[in-house]
């Protein structure tokens, strides 16, 4: 335990107040400073036991966004991300006229763009920089889209269809074995399939009106692939009677799409996070329109379209699943997650999204030799850390508590770094009292590369509760990378282990990882994970 100088304490209090006023992400840090005599503010650090846990195949259906592509992360290994989705008719029971002939079929799914880097072009439209793309710029992958042969149920038949059906990260083989026919994106242009890449160019659609005037319509970058017209002629235009009547029937008839990615030659590939719910398939066709004037019948060809959505609505649900295959695993990562030290803790903590890994945090020393009764008299062991017992006995008033995770820069030198980590109640699989402070954002260095230095996680209310309420349990905490801090839900492992049965849903969504220093005594003091508490002694 160490106490700061009076001068340092004054600066600390001032900085906490300023920090709170400027950063909403840490909106509860430093609140409730006790009294006006800030010279009594103390600073103490405590050792932490932290160790790795492997996330085995985990539930990955119906995520808000999904990965598609290949990303070889030097610190962890290669992830190949496939995807499967159901489809629904934008308008049920479409009326298809006489002699319909398809002109074209396109699937279009918009990409995420970095709005801060969008620039207007003098020729029209904008130039864009894609967001959430990982890997070499413009790297190619082999992309194949198949008709899916696996029907994705809404309800699980085990238990009498009472629970929602779950699909898992390791079910790629199921979709691969049941895919139908040849790939649908079979255009001669290899950029549509064998040499597909995430293209940041805007889409420029030229339209011509009845007077022959041409107009350019620009839109943001998207995956826009031409699909096989004959397939959709057979499947949609010439569908058997009744198969397009309702989406419930349609989903059983047309089970959906399976997106399969493979390496394109020797190209390393890249991986994108995509919001497939914005996707559509548009079937453009022409049919006969007959008009009668007197006894004269005139037949003209008119353009029509049928739209299939990759998203559901209040009436019709669309099921999806993220299918993640891991290979070329980094040996250090494999060893750390395969042989965690759950007693003394691990030197390095490997946090990886998807079918990845997390770290478990145990606060305060495990020594339990003393305790206190309700009158404050010293007793024997009571199942509570002696450090926590002493803090409770002294009646510390907690001003701020946090964990500072230092990043292993050498391990992460050639990897993309997640923007945020998420600390949660590991024991009960739920949020902590400090969840809404939304802490855990990465701190980067001042160099041009802006590499990550650390993540700071707020624990103020959690520690306050532990100190104030003597019946509070010193639970284990978990920490993961997160794609969206505002998603607190948990997903189940396909096969629970003795140590882990659930992990945060937002971690499953994130394709990245980070390597942090743990709290083991062998870690250099300047890098070691510690619990830091600022407190005020009661008068």
């Amino acid at each position: 335990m160490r106490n700061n100088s009076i001068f340092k304490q004054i600066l600390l209090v001032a900085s906490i107040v300023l920090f709170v006023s400027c950063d909403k992400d840490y909106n509860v840090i430093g609140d409730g400073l006790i009294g006006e005599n800030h010279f009594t503010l103390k600073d103490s650090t405590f050792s932490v036991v932290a160790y790795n846990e492997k996330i085995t195949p985990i539930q990955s259906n119906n995520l808000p966004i999904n990965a598609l592509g290949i990303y070889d992360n030097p610190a962890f290994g290669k992830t190949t991300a496939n995807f499967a989705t159901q489809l629904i008719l934008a308008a049920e029971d479409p009326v298809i006229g006489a002699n319909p002939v398809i002109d074209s079929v396109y699937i279009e799914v918009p990409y995420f763009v970095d709005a801060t880097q969008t620039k207007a072009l003098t020729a029209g439209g904008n130039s864009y920089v894609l967001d959430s793309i990982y890997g070499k710029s413009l790297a190619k992958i082999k992309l194949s889209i198949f008709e899916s042969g696996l029907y994705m149920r809404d309800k699980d038949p085990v238990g009498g269809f009472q629970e929602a059906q779950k699909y898992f990260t390791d079910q790629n083989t199921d979709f691969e074995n049941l895919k139908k026919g040849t790939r649908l994106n079979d255009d001669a242009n290899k950029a549509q399939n064998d040499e597909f890449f995430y293209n940041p160019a805007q889409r420029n659609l030229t339209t011509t009106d009845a007077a022959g005037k041409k107009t350019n319509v620009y839109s943001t970058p998207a995956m826009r692939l031409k699909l096989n017209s004959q397939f959709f002629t057979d499947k949609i235009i010439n569908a058997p009677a009744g198969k397009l009547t309702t989406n419930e029937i349609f989903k059983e008839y047309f089970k959906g799409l399976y997106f399969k990615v493979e390496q394109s030659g020797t190209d390393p590939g890249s991986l994108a996070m995509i919001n497939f719910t914005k996707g559509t398939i548009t079937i453009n066709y022409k049919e006969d329109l007959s008009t009668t004037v007197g006894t004269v019948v005139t037949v003209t060809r008119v353009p029509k379209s049928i739209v299939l959505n990759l998203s559901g609505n209040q009436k019709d649900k669309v099921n999806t699943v993220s299918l993640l295959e891991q290979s070329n695993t980094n040996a250090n990562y494999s060893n750390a997650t395969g042989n965690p030290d759950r007693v003394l803790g691990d030197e390095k903590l490997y946090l990886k999204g998807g079918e990845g890994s997390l770290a478990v945090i145990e606060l305060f020393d495990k020594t339990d030799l003393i305790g206190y009764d309700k009158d404050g008299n010293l007793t024997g062991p009571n199942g509570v850390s002696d450090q926590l017992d002493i803090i409770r006995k002294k009646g510390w008033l907690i001003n701020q508590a946090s964990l500072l995770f230092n990043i292993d820069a050498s391990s992460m030198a050639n990897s993309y770094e997640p923007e945020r980590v998420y600390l949660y109640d590991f024991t009960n699989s739920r949020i902590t009292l400090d969840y809404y402070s939304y802490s855990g954002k990465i701190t980067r260095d001042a160099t041009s590369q802006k590499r990550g230095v650390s993540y700071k996680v707020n624990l103020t209310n959690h520690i306050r509760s532990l100190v104030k309420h003597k019946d509070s349990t010193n639970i284990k905490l978990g920490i993961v990378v997160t794609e969206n801090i505002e998603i607190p839900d948990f997903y189940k492992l396909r096969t629970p282990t003795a140590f882990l049965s659930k992990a945060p849903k937002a971690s499953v969504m994130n394709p990245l990882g980070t390597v942090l220093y743990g709290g083991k005594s062998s870690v250099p003091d300047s890098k070691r994970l510690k619990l830091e508490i600022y407190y005020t002694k009661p008068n």
Side-chain angles (χ1 to χ4, degrees):
M1 185 178 295
R2 59 182 172 81
N3 295 332
N4 294 324
S5 67
I6 290 177
F7 178 72
K8 182 179 178 182
Q9 293 165 17
I10 295 173
L11 289 178
L12 173 65
V13 175
S15 65
I16 290 175
V17 173
L18 178 60
F19 194 50
V20 174
S21 66
C22 296
D23 192 339
K24 67 180 181 180
D25 282 344
Y26 293 85
N27 60 344
V28 302
I29 293 181
D31 67 349
L33 293 173
I34 307 300
E36 297 180 356
N37 182 10
H38 302 326
F39 296 101
T40 61
L41 192 66
K42 305 295 182 181
D43 171 14
S44 293
T45 60
F46 299 87
S47 60
V48 173
V49 173
Y51 52 88
N52 295 287
E53 289 290 356
K54 185 74 179 75
I55 300 174
T56 55
I58 188 169
Q59 182 183 351
S60 60
N61 57 301
N62 303 334
L63 298 173
I65 61 174
N66 293 269
L68 184 72
I70 299 171
Y71 175 47
D72 199 345
N73 187 332
F76 295 91
K78 180 186 291 186
T79 296
T80 301
N82 302 313
F83 176 71
T85 182
Q86 291 180 309
L87 305 167
I88 61 171
L89 294 155
E92 295 176 319
D93 201 14
V95 177
I96 301 173
N99 300 320
V101 177
I102 289 180
D103 290 331
S104 63
V105 183
Y106 283 94
I107 182 170
E108 187 161 350
V109 186
Y111 299 142
F112 290 110
V113 298
D114 182 350
T116 64
Q117 299 191 61
T118 300
K119 297 179 180 179
L121 298 174
T122 55
N126 299 287
S127 68
Y128 295 94
V129 174
L130 299 184
D131 193 12
S132 302
I133 307 285
Y134 307 109
K136 183 180 177 181
S137 177
L138 306 181
K140 297 178 178 65
I141 58 175
K142 179 180 178 181
L143 174 62
S144 302
I145 303 176
F146 294 95
E147 178 187 6
S148 176
L150 193 157
Y151 176 62
M152 300 178 73
R153 293 184 295 260
D154 293 340
K155 297 293 185 180
D156 191 343
V158 177
F161 296 95
Q162 297 301 308
E163 292 187 5
Q165 179 69 53
K166 298 175 182 63
Y167 295 91
F168 299 87
T169 51
D170 67 340
Q171 287 190 256
N172 188 70
T173 300
D174 296 337
F175 286 89
E176 171 69 21
N177 291 342
L178 291 174
K179 69 181 187 294
K180 293 185 176 182
T182 57
R183 66 182 176 189
L184 303 179
N185 56 322
D186 59 355
D187 192 79
N189 179 2
K190 289 188 177 181
Q192 298 261 314
N193 38 64
D194 290 345
E195 297 178 3
F196 172 83
F197 64 98
Y198 293 107
N199 191 342
Q202 66 182 350
R203 180 186 169 201
N204 181 5
L205 178 64
T206 302
T207 61
T208 305
D209 64 17
K213 181 181 178 181
K214 293 184 177 181
T215 302
N216 291 327
V217 178
Y218 301 101
S219 58
T220 55
M223 174 194 294
R224 189 170 191 268
L225 304 176
K226 188 175 183 179
L227 303 182
N228 186 281
S229 293
Q230 188 58 53
F231 171 84
F232 285 91
T233 297
D234 297 337
K235 198 73 180 182
I236 303 298
I237 300 300
N238 297 329
K243 296 301 183 182
L244 309 183
T245 306
T246 69
N247 276 317
E248 184 176 359
I249 296 171
F250 178 71
K251 286 190 293 183
E252 292 185 7
Y253 165 64
F254 189 177
K255 295 178 176 60
L257 299 178
Y258 165 55
F259 293 72
K260 177 182 179 180
V261 297
E262 301 169 88
Q263 205 149 352
S264 177
T266 59
D267 206 301
S270 62
L271 180 149
M273 299 305 297
I274 300 177
N275 184 356
F276 279 97
T277 64
K278 301 291 186 182
T280 58
I281 294 175
T282 303
I283 305 166
N284 297 304
Y285 66 99
K286 287 188 177 73
E287 65 183 27
D288 289 347
L289 175 64
S290 298
T291 57
T292 303
V293 178
T295 60
V296 179
V297 177
T298 302
V299 177
T300 57
R301 299 290 287 171
V302 294
K304 299 286 291 291
S305 65
I306 294 174
V307 176
L308 307 179
N309 289 335
L310 278 67
S311 62
N313 52 46
Q314 289 184 341
K315 175 177 171 289
D316 300 301
K317 183 178 181 180
V318 165
N319 290 302
T320 67
V321 59
S322 184
L323 305 163
L324 307 176
E325 296 183 314
Q326 312 297 324
S327 59
N328 193 31
T329 306
N330 179 288
N332 291 331
Y333 170 54
S334 181
N335 291 335
T337 55
N339 303 283
D341 188 339
R342 298 185 178 92
V343 177
L344 299 178
D346 293 325
E347 289 187 351
K348 302 283 183 68
L349 305 177
Y350 290 80
L351 313 185
K352 184 183 180 302
E355 189 178 312
S357 56
L358 55 82
V360 179
I361 314 287
E362 297 182 14
L363 303 179
F364 299 111
D365 190 281
K366 295 182 180 180
T367 302
D368 178 25
L369 301 176
I370 62 172
Y372 297 95
D373 61 23
K374 60 183 180 63
D375 297 317
N377 299 313
L378 190 66
T379 63
N382 61 351
V384 175
S385 164
D386 288 348
Q387 288 181 335
L388 183 54
D389 269 331
I390 292 170
I391 292 173
R392 287 171 172 173
K393 170 68 173 175
K394 292 183 176 180
W396 284 10
L397 302 174
I398 308 301
N399 298 94
Q400 179 184 339
S402 59
L403 291 168
L404 183 67
F405 295 86
N406 291 292
I407 297 171
D408 178 5
S410 60
S411 294
M412 291 299 296
N414 299 308
S415 299
Y416 289 89
E417 296 177 290
E419 285 298 314
R420 195 189 292 267
V421 295
Y422 163 46
L423 192 77
Y424 67 98
D425 177 346
F426 178 84
T427 300
N428 301 294
S429 295
R430 63 189 183 192
I431 62 175
T432 67
L433 292 173
D434 297 283
Y435 170 72
Y436 291 104
S437 69
Y438 296 142
S439 59
K441 291 189 71 174
I442 194 170
T443 297
R444 298 184 182 275
D445 62 28
T447 67
S448 60
Q449 299 298 316
K450 297 189 182 301
R451 299 301 300 173
V453 175
S454 62
Y455 298 92
K456 186 175 183 179
V457 179
N458 177 32
L459 269 179
T460 305
N461 290 320
H462 177 73
I463 299 299
R464 281 176 181 165
S465 180
L466 273 180
V467 173
K468 183 177 180 180
H469 305 290
K470 294 185 178 180
D471 57 347
S472 294
T473 301
N474 186 19
I475 57 172
K476 295 179 181 179
L477 302 170
I479 190 163
V480 295
V481 297
T482 180
E483 183 70 22
N484 187 339
I485 192 65
E486 295 181 358
I487 297 178
D489 305 329
F490 290 81
Y491 266 3
K492 293 182 178 180
L493 270 62
R494 187 167 194 174
T495 305
T497 69
F499 306 100
L500 187 65
S501 63
K502 295 180 181 180
K505 176 179 177 179
S507 175
V508 182
M509 295 161 54
N510 195 311
L512 304 181
T514 187
V515 184
L516 310 173
Y517 286 100
K520 201 167 187 175
S521 59
S522 54
V523 176
D525 186 73
S526 62
K527 299 294 185 181
R528 194 181 309 154
L529 171 63
K530 299 170 185 174
L531 169 64
E532 188 170 51
I533 299 177
Y534 293 98
Y535 64 96
T536 305
K537 288 184 177 181
N539 294 329

